[in-house]
Amino acid sequence: MSNPFVRIVEPLDPKQPLKKFFNLSKLEDVRYARLPFSIRVLLEAAVRNCDEFLVKKGDVENILNWKVVQHKNVEVPFKPARVILQDFTGVPAVVDFAAMRDAVKKLGGDPEKINPICPADLVIDHSIQVDFNRRSDSLQKNQDLEFERNKERFEFLKWGSRAFKNMRIIPPGSGIIHQVNLEYLARVVMDQDGYYYPDSVVGTDSHTTMIDGLGVLGWGVGGIEAEAVMLGQPISMVLPEVVGYKLLGNPQPLVTSTDIVLTITKHLRQVGVVGKFVEFFGPGVAQLSIADRATIANMCPEYGATAAYFPVDDISIGYLIQTGRDKEKVMCTKKYLEAVGMLRDFKNSSQDPDFTQVVELDLHTVVPCCSGPKRPQDKVAVSDMKKDFETCLGAKQGFKGFQIAPDRHNSVVKFNFEDCDFELGHGSVVIAAITSCTNTSNPSVMLGAGLLAKKAVEAGLTVKPYIKTSLSPGSGVVTYYLRESGVMSYLSQLGFDVVGYGCMTCIGNSGPLPESVVEAITQGDLVAVGVLSGNRNFEGRVHPNTRANYLASPPLVIAYAIAGTVRIDFENEPLGINASGKKIFLKDIWPTRNEIQAVERQFVIPGMFKEVYQKIETVNESWNALDAPSDKLYTWNPKSTYIKSPPFFDGLTLALQTPKTIEDAYVLLSFGDSVTTDHISPAGNIARNSPAARYLTSRGLTPREFNSYGSRRGNDAVMARGTFANIRLVNKFIDKQGPQTVHFPSGEILDVFDAAERYKQAGHPLIVLAGKEYGAGSSRDWAAKGPFLLGVKAVLAESYERIHRSNLVGMGVIPLQYLPGEDAGVLGLTGRERYTIVIPEKLKPQMNVQIKLDTGKTFQAVMRFDTDVELTYFHNGGILNYMIRKMAS
């Protein structure tokens, strides 16, 4: 059908009549001017795609009518302009595409229909680990080892870039996906097929939201949903509520963007924004650089929102020029945004749109802080850190407790490292990492860290040699300006050499600690500490031997490394005593905002960005030397332990199977609150006594060759065995932490995979019980694929994080939610019952279903298929099955 909105298409420039756009400001509808800017992006996408099958004029009307329908679960389609992937999620996506081509061919279709139809950029940033540090050749040695471990995965990805159109690979060593997106990939306004329109993106990483800081609407989705988007399927979403977050005032001189985002994270967790958009406004926004805004938007998953949007303003336009974008294109970008009423002036309150709810933060009230020891929302003012940690030591085991007996709080273990004697206690820092796109994308905090390092070295301070220090910038630009400004050598003197360009410690690729340090921690059962400038600190994520992990700004990471402990009051206790016997306090070496800004103005310049990014796809010689086939169908190697054809499409036919009632299911695991995707499908090291290790050993591999779970996501046999394999897993059936459960028919305590296999062989379906915020954290699709392969048919939880619920839907696993006011405790559920979940013949979104127990008890739960499209996926056995049938027919 023809587009009913063609009347509002006009050329941006009369001299360029072929360059057109949809001028929504000419809708002559008062509702448009009151829409949140984030909703205007959804509206423009709907108008632009209105002549396509799944986007109808009624969808456009619903978006225009947002203020009225926002609470009514109205479903709208959204087609983002781009998709981005990183290699941990990208490898399984390309594996799925390769397997889908095989499946389409078997069903008589054209396998080449399985191909991205929108631009897809895959940045390899998750594979490099901190194996070497504190040496000048750490970067090269870590990169060499990365290629040695991952050569097969990289060859597979290179095949994908040749076999699929519209798929670009950014080689390893280039930087972190979200920083590369911010500095290079993002367009802000697309210029494609003769039209200008707002850039938008979904990514297979939860921190895709970082790009919201530049005014590009984006959020993370599961890999399976991203695959469908790449194949042309719109995202089916409930029109979200939009929380307006009003920023006022100016930050205090010692406050960093890290302090601001940790404050906002705690605040919005208390407000409750899961499933909602957050849009920032108010005069305080104008006080923040794009890097500051990107830091705040980056941690959107940690406060639970879908998106954290900063509309484009003149500062955004200035950033595009600063980062070396084409000036003529930038001017067209500004002209387009002005024409459609989407260029924001944060000081002009008459532009403030309507919001579902408004909350405020006075930036002047923010103080220097950290978050931890186990969750990003648990903010602690730096002035309270010592007292807070010591309280956590004795508190009951939990998010803020380690349950250490009072008489052991001051325990000390002596050890020897490099022929010198040292001692560790509770609170000793053993990892200090400047890492993650959250902070390394921000020149002010990175130069702040460099200037602090310079002053520390000049004052005679050092970092103890056993502390694992590292610096992993998000792009080569960071190294460029740190070196040019003269601070790189001082960072190196404190042990913060560049160890790689990737996520590294932030995702658990922190590498090994010295053996003597591990022995001391184990011997004393010590609560050792990691301090990192990352975005997540869930238990077991950063390193198996750091039970406490704190998120902090890069300057504070260095400060705690110098102190060697978090049990320090920086205001009253010195960081250290130099060779002259002088006490040096943190305030003595903390750089002023004016110092930092002066260096930033001089050294962070467009030429740096142009020089780094013009050669980003060709600079890595090891990548260039990789040989890969160009066949359209992938030739699977049965001997591979990295790449394996998944079983998801085995036996798939064009005919649909009617969903059946789940009868007499056993509970595989019973959880409390805040079970993360790290608990469900860890990304880090593979324990030597795990089912995955036993499988790899049986294939002839040694422990040195195991690599990580994240690197093995192209092999379902490893990933199924790695599901619920987190060493910090807390299962209510077991009285200690660990990846085990009870196999109820026998009463045996087994590894989770082994128990699931027993159930599967006996033909018993499984479910999982959980509390609030089930599936928080990373967007990893294996947190849904893994349980699916274990035989889990449904999850019953108090609430879900958005992406994980979507991933469960995508795999055909039923997300069930307790009715309001109910949970396992209220209903008296122990998890030792057997559960029958009645699936009616006619299903509708968010309907209640009946659950019967073998005890005779019956109750109801909400079936969290939120839209009709999600029900369609469920009837097909998942979103990928739906796409295969669609392509094959």
Side-chain angles (χ1 to χ4, degrees):
M1 69 185 199
S2 61
N3 194 317
F5 295 92
V6 71
R7 63 187 172 84
I8 56 169
V9 174
E10 59 183 49
L12 181 64
D13 185 340
K15 297 175 185 176
Q16 292 183 302
L18 296 180
K19 297 283 189 177
K20 298 179 179 179
F21 69 107
F22 290 89
N23 194 342
L24 301 186
S25 62
K26 289 194 175 181
L27 277 169
E28 296 174 0
D29 193 316
V30 293
R31 293 173 294 178
Y32 179 77
R34 304 307 307 161
L35 286 177
F37 282 65
S38 51
I39 298 298
R40 295 182 199 186
V41 179
L42 297 184
L43 176 65
E44 195 284 338
V47 168
R48 183 166 33 88
N49 294 299
C50 201
D51 54 349
E52 295 191 15
F53 175 68
L54 278 174
V55 184
K56 307 178 184 69
K57 188 174 179 181
D59 297 319
V60 176
E61 184 65 21
N62 277 333
I63 299 173
L64 265 175
N65 216 25
W66 168 82
K67 189 173 182 181
V68 176
V69 304
Q70 60 177 303
H71 302 295
K72 297 182 179 178
N73 288 328
V74 171
E75 176 185 356
V76 294
F78 174 57
K79 289 191 74 172
R82 300 183 291 121
V83 174
I84 58 172
L85 310 94
Q86 37 88 342
D87 56 302
F88 269 17
T89 52
V91 167
V94 179
V95 166
D96 286 347
F97 274 177
M100 289 170 78
R101 279 191 169 179
D102 292 343
V104 168
K105 185 180 180 183
K106 286 177 185 176
L107 292 174
D110 178 4
E112 290 192 43
K113 283 187 176 179
I114 301 295
N115 193 90
I117 65 169
C118 67
D121 293 304
L122 192 157
V123 181
I124 300 175
D125 62 3
H126 272 52
S127 299
I128 192 166
Q129 301 184 33
V130 193
D131 291 287
F132 297 91
N133 69 308
R134 283 184 178 256
R135 45 191 291 173
S136 59
D137 62 350
S138 294
L139 172 61
Q140 189 60 53
K141 294 187 79 67
N142 287 328
Q143 288 181 335
D144 290 345
L145 197 49
E146 175 190 21
F147 262 83
E148 181 186 323
R149 286 175 175 143
N150 296 284
K151 184 170 182 283
E152 187 181 346
R153 294 173 64 243
F154 293 169
E155 286 173 341
F156 177 69
L157 288 176
K158 201 162 191 179
W159 166 80
S161 69
R162 292 175 176 177
F164 298 101
K165 299 171 187 174
N166 284 331
M167 181 175 284
R168 173 171 54 174
I169 307 292
I170 305 296
S174 303
I176 302 174
I177 177 173
H178 308 303
Q179 189 160 340
V180 173
N181 192 23
L182 184 74
E183 296 175 353
Y184 175 61
L185 298 175
R187 281 82 148 173
V188 178
V189 170
M190 302 292 288
D191 175 2
Q192 199 163 331
D193 301 327
Y195 287 96
Y196 290 105
Y197 54 93
D199 188 5
S200 57
V201 63
V202 293
T204 59
D205 189 284
S206 54
H207 294 105
T208 300
T209 53
M210 182 169 175
I211 203 62
D212 290 336
L214 185 57
V216 176
L217 184 63
W219 62 84
V221 296
I224 33 194
E225 190 170 12
E227 291 164 36
V229 170
M230 284 190 274
L231 295 175
Q233 183 74 0
I235 289 175
S236 171
M237 61 186 295
V238 172
L239 197 60
E241 297 178 22
V242 183
V243 175
Y245 200 94
K246 189 171 188 177
L247 294 175
L248 304 164
N250 290 306
Q252 295 183 49
L254 300 182
V255 165
T256 67
S257 58
T258 314
D259 304 317
I260 295 171
V261 72
L262 296 180
T263 301
I264 289 172
T265 298
K266 181 174 183 177
H267 184 197
L268 284 176
R269 270 291 170 188
Q270 293 168 337
V271 170
V273 292
V274 173
K276 302 175 185 178
F277 283 5
V278 174
E279 186 169 312
F280 293 86
F281 75 110
V285 177
Q287 306 303 317
L288 302 176
S289 67
I290 294 304
D292 293 336
R293 299 177 197 181
T295 296
I296 294 166
N298 177 284
M299 287 191 69
C300 174
E302 281 63 58
Y303 41 87
T306 299
Y309 192 63
F310 288 83
V312 181
D313 68 347
D314 283 335
I315 294 176
S316 316
I317 300 298
Y319 178 83
L320 293 176
I321 292 170
Q322 182 194 27
T323 49
R325 265 74 165 210
D326 183 273
K327 285 187 178 180
E328 188 175 331
K329 289 182 179 179
V330 172
M331 289 305 102
C332 284
T333 292
K334 182 175 182 179
K335 195 171 182 180
Y336 164 79
L337 293 169
E338 286 175 330
V340 297
M342 289 182 67
L343 188 68
R344 189 75 162 90
D345 178 358
F346 289 104
K347 294 177 181 177
N348 182 358
S349 60
S350 69
Q351 287 188 6
D352 293 351
D354 292 329
F355 293 111
T356 309
Q357 174 188 3
V358 172
V359 291
E360 295 184 357
L361 174 67
D362 182 348
L363 292 172
H364 193 71
T365 65
V366 177
V367 298
C369 57
C370 300
S371 277
K374 303 180 185 182
R375 295 192 304 181
Q377 62 260 47
D378 294 329
K379 177 179 74 81
V380 186
V382 170
S383 57
D384 297 332
M385 271 287 283
K386 180 178 182 179
K387 180 182 176 182
D388 188 82
F389 179 82
E390 291 175 347
T391 301
C392 289
L393 271 183
K396 184 181 177 182
Q397 182 72 39
F399 298 126
K400 293 286 287 184
F402 297 101
Q403 211 161 333
I404 303 296
D407 62 343
R408 292 188 47 242
H409 283 199
N410 295 310
S411 296
V412 169
V413 178
K414 297 183 184 300
F415 69 102
N416 187 274
F417 179 77
E418 295 181 347
D419 297 324
C420 293
D421 291 327
F422 298 97
E423 58 184 37
L424 289 179
H426 296 296
S428 291
V429 174
V430 295
I431 291 177
I434 299 176
T435 181
S436 170
C437 52
T438 308
N439 287 290
T440 69
S441 60
N442 194 328
S444 64
V445 294
M446 295 302 291
L447 288 168
L451 291 170
L452 184 141
K454 180 176 185 290
K455 293 185 177 190
V457 170
E458 290 172 346
L461 297 176
T462 59
V463 174
K464 293 181 176 66
Y466 62 82
I467 296 176
K468 187 157 194 180
T469 48
S470 61
L471 167 58
S472 49
S475 80
V477 174
V478 179
T479 308
Y480 204 143
Y481 66 66
L482 289 177
R483 187 175 60 242
E484 291 297 306
S485 62
V487 298
M488 192 72 239
S489 61
Y490 296 100
L491 287 163
S492 296
Q493 287 179 65
L494 293 180
F496 290 92
D497 298 280
V498 173
V499 294
Y501 296 97
C503 302
M504 303 191 90
T505 301
C506 186
I507 60 165
N509 284 359
S510 45
L513 290 173
E515 284 187 20
S516 57
V517 171
V518 173
E519 288 169 4
I521 293 170
T522 306
Q523 179 187 333
D525 190 27
L526 298 176
V527 180
V529 176
V531 183
L532 64 153
S533 63
N535 46 45
R536 292 201 176 122
N537 53 348
F538 303 133
E539 282 187 284
R541 177 183 174 93
V542 174
H543 194 281
N545 296 112
T546 56
R547 285 157 69 183
N549 296 282
Y550 288 92
L551 307 181
S553 66
L556 278 175
V557 170
I558 296 176
Y560 280 112
I562 294 169
T565 180
V566 294
R567 297 172 80 171
I568 181 173
D569 177 356
F570 284 134
E571 292 180 15
N572 299 303
E573 297 176 58
L575 269 178
I577 300 172
N578 66 15
S580 304
K582 182 182 178 182
K583 293 180 179 179
I584 309 296
F585 289 81
L586 181 58
K587 62 186 177 184
D588 299 328
I589 62 171
W590 193 273
T592 67
R593 177 165 291 166
N594 287 339
E595 284 179 272
I596 296 169
Q597 289 176 344
V599 175
E600 185 175 348
R601 280 192 297 270
Q602 184 177 355
F603 293 104
V604 183
I605 56 177
M608 288 183 175
F609 293 88
K610 287 180 180 177
E611 184 174 335
V612 168
Y613 283 113
Q614 69 185 5
K615 55 189 179 183
I616 191 170
E617 294 178 53
T618 57
V619 72
N620 191 311
E621 293 299 331
S622 298
W623 174 264
N624 297 340
L626 282 178
D627 189 30
S630 55
D631 303 343
K632 298 302 181 184
L633 294 176
Y634 187 69
T635 304
W636 306 96
N637 179 1
K639 294 182 180 179
S640 174
T641 57
Y642 277 108
I643 307 298
K644 178 177 175 290
S645 182
F648 306 131
F649 316 122
D650 292 351
L652 183 67
T653 65
L654 288 174
L656 296 184
Q657 304 294 317
T658 304
K660 297 177 182 177
T661 290
I662 300 168
E663 296 187 2
D664 286 330
Y666 282 96
V667 177
L668 179 63
L669 296 143
S670 179
F671 296 126
D673 296 340
S674 297
V675 169
T676 72
T677 52
D678 279 288
H679 291 112
I680 303 168
S681 184
N685 68 304
I686 298 172
R688 296 188 181 193
N689 61 347
S690 65
R694 292 194 289 273
Y695 168 80
L696 292 171
T697 300
S698 74
R699 301 296 299 267
L701 274 66
T702 63
R704 184 179 176 276
E705 299 169 304
F706 287 172
N707 211 335
S708 63
Y709 281 115
S711 68
R712 297 279 177 184
R713 288 181 184 163
N715 186 316
D716 61 272
V718 176
M719 296 310 297
R721 288 165 173 80
T723 303
F724 299 113
N726 190 304
I727 60 169
R728 302 293 181 199
L729 194 73
V730 178
N731 174 15
K732 291 181 180 180
F733 297 150
I734 306 293
D735 60 3
K736 61 179 182 180
Q737 288 185 333
Q740 293 187 313
T741 195
V742 176
H743 176 253
F744 288 112
S746 67
E748 292 180 70
I749 295 177
L750 302 172
D751 288 330
V752 174
F753 174 79
D754 295 335
E757 281 294 288
R758 288 253 197 112
Y759 284 123
K760 189 185 294 185
Q761 289 165 8
H764 298 310
L766 297 170
I767 68 168
V768 170
L769 299 183
K772 300 179 183 71
E773 299 172 2
Y774 182 71
S778 299
S779 66
R780 57 194 63 163
D781 53 350
W782 269 107
K785 287 177 174 177
F788 171 84
L789 291 178
L790 295 187
V792 173
K793 304 297 182 186
V795 177
L796 176 58
E798 290 178 58
S799 66
Y800 294 89
E801 290 292 279
R802 175 187 60 84
I803 298 175
H804 185 62
R805 186 202 64 82
S806 176
N807 278 336
L808 292 173
V809 171
M811 286 308 299
V813 177
I814 303 173
L816 297 169
Q817 190 163 316
Y818 293 104
L819 298 182
E822 294 186 351
D823 57 32
V826 170
L827 294 170
L829 308 180
T830 66
R832 297 172 183 270
E833 311 88 351
R834 295 184 70 176
Y835 291 66
T836 294
I837 301 163
V838 181
I839 309 296
E841 220 173 285
K842 292 185 178 180
L843 300 175
K844 59 182 182 180
Q846 295 196 350
M847 69 182 296
N848 289 357
V849 295
Q850 194 174 51
I851 301 175
K852 301 176 181 177
L853 308 185
D854 62 345
T855 60
K857 184 179 183 67
T858 299
F859 63 97
Q860 289 191 326
V862 181
M863 185 182 279
R864 284 292 311 279
F865 296 122
D866 290 353
T867 66
D868 287 321
V869 172
E870 289 186 347
L871 282 173
T872 299
Y873 297 155
F874 177 58
H875 283 292
N876 277 270
I879 191 170
L880 299 185
N881 291 355
Y882 167 79
M883 294 305 298
I884 288 172
R885 290 188 174 106
K886 182 178 176 181
M887 297 295 181
S889 60

